[in-house]
Amino acid sequence: MATPNDLPDDGTTPAGDPAGTDQRPVPTPWGPASGVGSLPGTDPLEAMRLVVGELPELPHLPELPARGAGADMIGRAAALLVDLAVDLTPAGWRLVPRPGADLRRAKEMLARDLDALHEVAERYTGAFKVQVTGPWTLAAGLERSRGDRAVVDPGARRDLAQSLAEGVAAHVAAVSARVPGATVVVQLDEPSVPAVLQGGLPTVSGYGKLAAVEGTVVEEELTALVGRLPAPVVLHCCANRAPLDLFRAAGAQGLSFDLGMVQDLDSVGTAVEAGTHLLIGVVPGTDATLPSPKTTATRVQAWWRELGFPAEELHSAVTLTPACGLAGASPGYARTAMTHVREAAKYLLPE
């Protein structure tokens, strides 16, 4: 499909599409560097300025879990749910019949984040990423009223996924309204999926493990949700054994993972051949001594050569990120990590 720069000056449609009927999706303008999501600190305005300043070509809406309950992964996603309510118990978040103060606080923090986004980035144009806890990780982190995890109940999972899809669609619309020039990309965070597939999730009591869920079931339910979202979807998992083939089959246009955790090069190669964009974590999510950006780029180039793809395709196929969220890092390191991936990405450009 022609981009605006490809259109004739007279306003007519391109010669290859005289009726203007080409409905192919416009490619997502992936940036060279981005963040995973979370940052240290409690000030949404300061965090938004930091992200836009350090990652200007693919910024994201920061998550600040240091603010407390409701700013964590589960509480933040719960703030998006439609017609479902949760409350915080000593054991964690639980589905409840009516919303209470905990859910109200989560919604208020999300609203303040959107206000900060509008104030800082109203005139931004380009790809902009928002992060939401994915349906399987959300179901694994929520208890039902009777005390077991929602992930064990197909009906509860279905209700959660439908509610989450509706809420994420509204969230995308809210972000687009505040930053009209943005092309919103949705990142679904699914760190619990490997444990779901392997039977590694503990029971609520902590004395046992939940039964593994078949990969076909995980893929089918994830596919259904991805298909309902009104934006390109990135699936993120920085845990070991991230199921990249499953994520790609579920409809993800991007895969986000820790470069040091993924050893299955066949899965990565298949994703690249299918045109799936890679958001690869190349620096730790907690304080560490980093090499030079050029050294990081060299590591990525060596990995790309091992995959067997032409060097000139690397810069357009990948986005560099930290390996995971930066909430556990010091403020200084968080800034350094974002600067590092931005600078390292410059060395991936063809000479």
Side-chain angles (χ1 to χ4, degrees), residues 276-301:
T276 307
H277 194 73
L278 306 181
L279 294 88
I280 55 177
V282 295
V283 297
T286 53
D287 290 36
T289 300
L290 300 181
S292 69
K294 186 174 183 179
T295 299
T296 295
T298 300
R299 174 190 172 206
V300 174
Q301 290 164 336

PDB file of all heavy atoms in Angstrom, residues 276-301:
ATOM      1  N   THR A 276       7.921 -11.175  10.992  1.00  0.00           N
ATOM      2  CA  THR A 276       7.636 -10.757  12.360  1.00  0.00           C
ATOM      3  C   THR A 276       8.786  -9.900  12.880  1.00  0.00           C
ATOM      4  O   THR A 276       9.944 -10.288  12.773  1.00  0.00           O
ATOM      5  CB  THR A 276       7.462 -11.978  13.275  1.00  0.00           C
ATOM      6  OG1 THR A 276       6.476 -12.849  12.704  1.00  0.00           O
ATOM      7  CG2 THR A 276       7.017 -11.558  14.672  1.00  0.00           C
ATOM      8  N   HIS A 277       8.458  -8.738  13.435  1.00  0.00           N
ATOM      9  CA  HIS A 277       9.496  -7.851  13.946  1.00  0.00           C
ATOM     10  C   HIS A 277      10.009  -8.364  15.287  1.00  0.00           C
ATOM     11  O   HIS A 277       9.256  -8.948  16.084  1.00  0.00           O
ATOM     12  CB  HIS A 277       8.939  -6.435  14.114  1.00  0.00           C
ATOM     13  CG  HIS A 277       9.996  -5.396  14.306  1.00  0.00           C
ATOM     14  ND1 HIS A 277      10.810  -4.961  13.292  1.00  0.00           N
ATOM     15  CD2 HIS A 277      10.389  -4.719  15.412  1.00  0.00           C
ATOM     16  CE1 HIS A 277      11.655  -4.067  13.749  1.00  0.00           C
ATOM     17  NE2 HIS A 277      11.418  -3.895  15.037  1.00  0.00           N
ATOM     18  N   LEU A 278      11.284  -8.157  15.555  1.00  0.00           N
ATOM     19  CA  LEU A 278      11.904  -8.618  16.794  1.00  0.00           C
ATOM     20  C   LEU A 278      12.303  -7.433  17.662  1.00  0.00           C
ATOM     21  O   LEU A 278      13.006  -6.533  17.197  1.00  0.00           O
ATOM     22  CB  LEU A 278      13.156  -9.450  16.491  1.00  0.00           C
ATOM     23  CG  LEU A 278      13.000 -10.636  15.546  1.00  0.00           C
ATOM     24  CD1 LEU A 278      14.329 -11.352  15.370  1.00  0.00           C
ATOM     25  CD2 LEU A 278      11.929 -11.610  16.046  1.00  0.00           C
ATOM     26  N   LEU A 279      11.830  -7.423  18.898  1.00  0.00           N
ATOM     27  CA  LEU A 279      12.250  -6.434  19.890  1.00  0.00           C
ATOM     28  C   LEU A 279      13.120  -7.188  20.886  1.00  0.00           C
ATOM     29  O   LEU A 279      12.603  -7.967  21.694  1.00  0.00           O
ATOM     30  CB  LEU A 279      11.049  -5.785  20.574  1.00  0.00           C
ATOM     31  CG  LEU A 279      10.164  -4.917  19.657  1.00  0.00           C
ATOM     32  CD1 LEU A 279       9.091  -5.744  18.966  1.00  0.00           C
ATOM     33  CD2 LEU A 279       9.504  -3.780  20.445  1.00  0.00           C
ATOM     34  N   ILE A 280      14.426  -7.008  20.770  1.00  0.00           N
ATOM     35  CA  ILE A 280      15.344  -7.872  21.502  1.00  0.00           C
ATOM     36  C   ILE A 280      16.000  -7.134  22.667  1.00  0.00           C
ATOM     37  O   ILE A 280      16.524  -6.038  22.520  1.00  0.00           O
ATOM     38  CB  ILE A 280      16.407  -8.479  20.563  1.00  0.00           C
ATOM     39  CG1 ILE A 280      17.158  -7.417  19.776  1.00  0.00           C
ATOM     40  CG2 ILE A 280      15.749  -9.450  19.598  1.00  0.00           C
ATOM     41  CD1 ILE A 280      18.265  -7.996  18.903  1.00  0.00           C
ATOM     42  N   GLY A 281      15.942  -7.783  23.833  1.00  0.00           N
ATOM     43  CA  GLY A 281      16.541  -7.210  25.032  1.00  0.00           C
ATOM     44  C   GLY A 281      18.032  -7.464  25.064  1.00  0.00           C
ATOM     45  O   GLY A 281      18.471  -8.615  25.041  1.00  0.00           O
ATOM     46  N   VAL A 282      18.812  -6.393  25.118  1.00  0.00           N
ATOM     47  CA  VAL A 282      20.265  -6.525  24.979  1.00  0.00           C
ATOM     48  C   VAL A 282      21.045  -5.999  26.184  1.00  0.00           C
ATOM     49  O   VAL A 282      22.264  -6.156  26.233  1.00  0.00           O
ATOM     50  CB  VAL A 282      20.764  -5.831  23.690  1.00  0.00           C
ATOM     51  CG1 VAL A 282      20.213  -6.531  22.459  1.00  0.00           C
ATOM     52  CG2 VAL A 282      20.395  -4.346  23.677  1.00  0.00           C
ATOM     53  N   VAL A 283      20.373  -5.364  27.141  1.00  0.00           N
ATOM     54  CA  VAL A 283      21.047  -4.934  28.376  1.00  0.00           C
ATOM     55  C   VAL A 283      20.189  -5.352  29.558  1.00  0.00           C
ATOM     56  O   VAL A 283      18.963  -5.440  29.444  1.00  0.00           O
ATOM     57  CB  VAL A 283      21.302  -3.408  28.412  1.00  0.00           C
ATOM     58  CG1 VAL A 283      22.248  -2.989  27.290  1.00  0.00           C
ATOM     59  CG2 VAL A 283      19.996  -2.633  28.321  1.00  0.00           C
ATOM     60  N   PRO A 284      20.794  -5.646  30.718  1.00  0.00           N
ATOM     61  CA  PRO A 284      20.018  -6.110  31.874  1.00  0.00           C
ATOM     62  C   PRO A 284      18.986  -5.085  32.340  1.00  0.00           C
ATOM     63  O   PRO A 284      19.137  -3.880  32.133  1.00  0.00           O
ATOM     64  CB  PRO A 284      21.092  -6.328  32.958  1.00  0.00           C
ATOM     65  CG  PRO A 284      22.368  -6.515  32.199  1.00  0.00           C
ATOM     66  CD  PRO A 284      22.248  -5.642  30.985  1.00  0.00           C
ATOM     67  N   GLY A 285      17.936  -5.599  32.993  1.00  0.00           N
ATOM     68  CA  GLY A 285      16.898  -4.726  33.513  1.00  0.00           C
ATOM     69  C   GLY A 285      17.199  -4.162  34.889  1.00  0.00           C
ATOM     70  O   GLY A 285      16.447  -3.337  35.397  1.00  0.00           O
ATOM     71  N   THR A 286      18.276  -4.623  35.505  1.00  0.00           N
ATOM     72  CA  THR A 286      18.720  -4.079  36.789  1.00  0.00           C
ATOM     73  C   THR A 286      20.158  -3.592  36.653  1.00  0.00           C
ATOM     74  O   THR A 286      20.854  -3.935  35.694  1.00  0.00           O
ATOM     75  CB  THR A 286      18.627  -5.132  37.898  1.00  0.00           C
ATOM     76  OG1 THR A 286      19.331  -6.311  37.492  1.00  0.00           O
ATOM     77  CG2 THR A 286      17.182  -5.508  38.177  1.00  0.00           C
ATOM     78  N   ASP A 287      20.615  -2.810  37.621  1.00  0.00           N
ATOM     79  CA  ASP A 287      21.905  -2.134  37.515  1.00  0.00           C
ATOM     80  C   ASP A 287      23.040  -3.102  37.175  1.00  0.00           C
ATOM     81  O   ASP A 287      23.167  -4.176  37.783  1.00  0.00           O
ATOM     82  CB  ASP A 287      22.228  -1.433  38.835  1.00  0.00           C
ATOM     83  CG  ASP A 287      21.330  -0.230  39.075  1.00  0.00           C
ATOM     84  OD1 ASP A 287      20.150  -0.303  38.693  1.00  0.00           O
ATOM     85  OD2 ASP A 287      21.810   0.769  39.624  1.00  0.00           O
ATOM     86  N   ALA A 288      23.822  -2.717  36.200  1.00  0.00           N
ATOM     87  CA  ALA A 288      24.964  -3.519  35.770  1.00  0.00           C
ATOM     88  C   ALA A 288      25.955  -2.598  35.077  1.00  0.00           C
ATOM     89  O   ALA A 288      25.609  -1.497  34.641  1.00  0.00           O
ATOM     90  CB  ALA A 288      24.517  -4.626  34.817  1.00  0.00           C
ATOM     91  N   THR A 289      27.177  -3.053  34.979  1.00  0.00           N
ATOM     92  CA  THR A 289      28.175  -2.324  34.199  1.00  0.00           C
ATOM     93  C   THR A 289      28.011  -2.707  32.735  1.00  0.00           C
ATOM     94  O   THR A 289      28.103  -3.888  32.386  1.00  0.00           O
ATOM     95  CB  THR A 289      29.597  -2.677  34.673  1.00  0.00           C
ATOM     96  OG1 THR A 289      29.724  -2.329  36.059  1.00  0.00           O
ATOM     97  CG2 THR A 289      30.640  -1.915  33.860  1.00  0.00           C
ATOM     98  N   LEU A 290      27.756  -1.739  31.901  1.00  0.00           N
ATOM     99  CA  LEU A 290      27.464  -2.015  30.503  1.00  0.00           C
ATOM    100  C   LEU A 290      28.707  -1.842  29.636  1.00  0.00           C
ATOM    101  O   LEU A 290      29.559  -0.992  29.915  1.00  0.00           O
ATOM    102  CB  LEU A 290      26.363  -1.078  29.996  1.00  0.00           C
ATOM    103  CG  LEU A 290      25.018  -1.158  30.727  1.00  0.00           C
ATOM    104  CD1 LEU A 290      24.026  -0.180  30.093  1.00  0.00           C
ATOM    105  CD2 LEU A 290      24.462  -2.569  30.699  1.00  0.00           C
ATOM    106  N   PRO A 291      28.805  -2.625  28.568  1.00  0.00           N
ATOM    107  CA  PRO A 291      29.882  -2.405  27.606  1.00  0.00           C
ATOM    108  C   PRO A 291      29.589  -1.149  26.793  1.00  0.00           C
ATOM    109  O   PRO A 291      28.572  -0.471  27.012  1.00  0.00           O
ATOM    110  CB  PRO A 291      29.833  -3.659  26.738  1.00  0.00           C
ATOM    111  CG  PRO A 291      28.389  -4.052  26.769  1.00  0.00           C
ATOM    112  CD  PRO A 291      27.911  -3.714  28.160  1.00  0.00           C
ATOM    113  N   SER A 292      30.418  -0.848  25.836  1.00  0.00           N
ATOM    114  CA  SER A 292      30.126   0.278  24.954  1.00  0.00           C
ATOM    115  C   SER A 292      28.938  -0.072  24.052  1.00  0.00           C
ATOM    116  O   SER A 292      28.680  -1.253  23.776  1.00  0.00           O
ATOM    117  CB  SER A 292      31.340   0.596  24.080  1.00  0.00           C
ATOM    118  OG  SER A 292      31.551  -0.455  23.136  1.00  0.00           O
ATOM    119  N   PRO A 293      28.170   0.916  23.605  1.00  0.00           N
ATOM    120  CA  PRO A 293      27.086   0.628  22.665  1.00  0.00           C
ATOM    121  C   PRO A 293      27.560  -0.121  21.421  1.00  0.00           C
ATOM    122  O   PRO A 293      26.854  -0.990  20.906  1.00  0.00           O
ATOM    123  CB  PRO A 293      26.550   2.026  22.320  1.00  0.00           C
ATOM    124  CG  PRO A 293      26.858   2.856  23.521  1.00  0.00           C
ATOM    125  CD  PRO A 293      28.173   2.346  24.008  1.00  0.00           C
ATOM    126  N   LYS A 294      28.771   0.187  20.939  1.00  0.00           N
ATOM    127  CA  LYS A 294      29.282  -0.501  19.763  1.00  0.00           C
ATOM    128  C   LYS A 294      29.493  -1.987  20.047  1.00  0.00           C
ATOM    129  O   LYS A 294      29.236  -2.843  19.188  1.00  0.00           O
ATOM    130  CB  LYS A 294      30.590   0.135  19.300  1.00  0.00           C
ATOM    131  CG  LYS A 294      31.108  -0.437  17.988  1.00  0.00           C
ATOM    132  CD  LYS A 294      32.322   0.319  17.489  1.00  0.00           C
ATOM    133  CE  LYS A 294      32.782  -0.227  16.131  1.00  0.00           C
ATOM    134  NZ  LYS A 294      33.960   0.520  15.623  1.00  0.00           N
ATOM    135  N   THR A 295      29.953  -2.303  21.246  1.00  0.00           N
ATOM    136  CA  THR A 295      30.136  -3.708  21.616  1.00  0.00           C
ATOM    137  C   THR A 295      28.798  -4.448  21.637  1.00  0.00           C
ATOM    138  O   THR A 295      28.691  -5.591  21.181  1.00  0.00           O
ATOM    139  CB  THR A 295      30.818  -3.807  22.993  1.00  0.00           C
ATOM    140  OG1 THR A 295      32.101  -3.181  22.920  1.00  0.00           O
ATOM    141  CG2 THR A 295      30.975  -5.249  23.420  1.00  0.00           C
ATOM    142  N   THR A 296      27.774  -3.795  22.165  1.00  0.00           N
ATOM    143  CA  THR A 296      26.436  -4.403  22.155  1.00  0.00           C
ATOM    144  C   THR A 296      25.961  -4.631  20.733  1.00  0.00           C
ATOM    145  O   THR A 296      25.412  -5.691  20.403  1.00  0.00           O
ATOM    146  CB  THR A 296      25.445  -3.505  22.909  1.00  0.00           C
ATOM    147  OG1 THR A 296      25.816  -3.452  24.293  1.00  0.00           O
ATOM    148  CG2 THR A 296      24.024  -4.027  22.790  1.00  0.00           C
ATOM    149  N   ALA A 297      26.179  -3.651  19.868  1.00  0.00           N
ATOM    150  CA  ALA A 297      25.776  -3.798  18.470  1.00  0.00           C
ATOM    151  C   ALA A 297      26.529  -4.948  17.808  1.00  0.00           C
ATOM    152  O   ALA A 297      25.949  -5.713  17.018  1.00  0.00           O
ATOM    153  CB  ALA A 297      26.022  -2.497  17.717  1.00  0.00           C
ATOM    154  N   THR A 298      27.800  -5.083  18.114  1.00  0.00           N
ATOM    155  CA  THR A 298      28.596  -6.170  17.544  1.00  0.00           C
ATOM    156  C   THR A 298      28.046  -7.529  17.963  1.00  0.00           C
ATOM    157  O   THR A 298      27.992  -8.473  17.167  1.00  0.00           O
ATOM    158  CB  THR A 298      30.071  -6.041  17.974  1.00  0.00           C
ATOM    159  OG1 THR A 298      30.584  -4.782  17.514  1.00  0.00           O
ATOM    160  CG2 THR A 298      30.911  -7.169  17.421  1.00  0.00           C
ATOM    161  N   ARG A 299      27.628  -7.617  19.229  1.00  0.00           N
ATOM    162  CA  ARG A 299      27.005  -8.861  19.707  1.00  0.00           C
ATOM    163  C   ARG A 299      25.740  -9.183  18.918  1.00  0.00           C
ATOM    164  O   ARG A 299      25.509 -10.333  18.527  1.00  0.00           O
ATOM    165  CB  ARG A 299      26.681  -8.711  21.191  1.00  0.00           C
ATOM    166  CG  ARG A 299      25.891  -9.864  21.801  1.00  0.00           C
ATOM    167  CD  ARG A 299      25.419  -9.485  23.190  1.00  0.00           C
ATOM    168  NE  ARG A 299      24.516 -10.465  23.760  1.00  0.00           N
ATOM    169  CZ  ARG A 299      23.599 -10.194  24.679  1.00  0.00           C
ATOM    170  NH1 ARG A 299      23.467  -8.938  25.134  1.00  0.00           N
ATOM    171  NH2 ARG A 299      22.812 -11.130  25.153  1.00  0.00           N
ATOM    172  N   VAL A 300      24.909  -8.173  18.671  1.00  0.00           N
ATOM    173  CA  VAL A 300      23.681  -8.380  17.911  1.00  0.00           C
ATOM    174  C   VAL A 300      24.001  -8.782  16.470  1.00  0.00           C
ATOM    175  O   VAL A 300      23.352  -9.672  15.894  1.00  0.00           O
ATOM    176  CB  VAL A 300      22.810  -7.107  17.945  1.00  0.00           C
ATOM    177  CG1 VAL A 300      21.599  -7.255  17.034  1.00  0.00           C
ATOM    178  CG2 VAL A 300      22.362  -6.801  19.373  1.00  0.00           C
ATOM    179  N   GLN A 301      24.985  -8.147  15.880  1.00  0.00           N
ATOM    180  CA  GLN A 301      25.374  -8.487  14.510  1.00  0.00           C
ATOM    181  C   GLN A 301      25.870  -9.923  14.403  1.00  0.00           C
ATOM    182  O   GLN A 301      25.556 -10.632  13.439  1.00  0.00           O
ATOM    183  CB  GLN A 301      26.441  -7.499  14.024  1.00  0.00           C
ATOM    184  CG  GLN A 301      25.905  -6.097  13.778  1.00  0.00           C
ATOM    185  CD  GLN A 301      27.003  -5.043  13.687  1.00  0.00           C
ATOM    186  OE1 GLN A 301      28.099  -5.223  14.226  1.00  0.00           O
ATOM    187  NE2 GLN A 301      26.720  -3.940  12.996  1.00  0.00           N
TER     188      GLN A 301
END
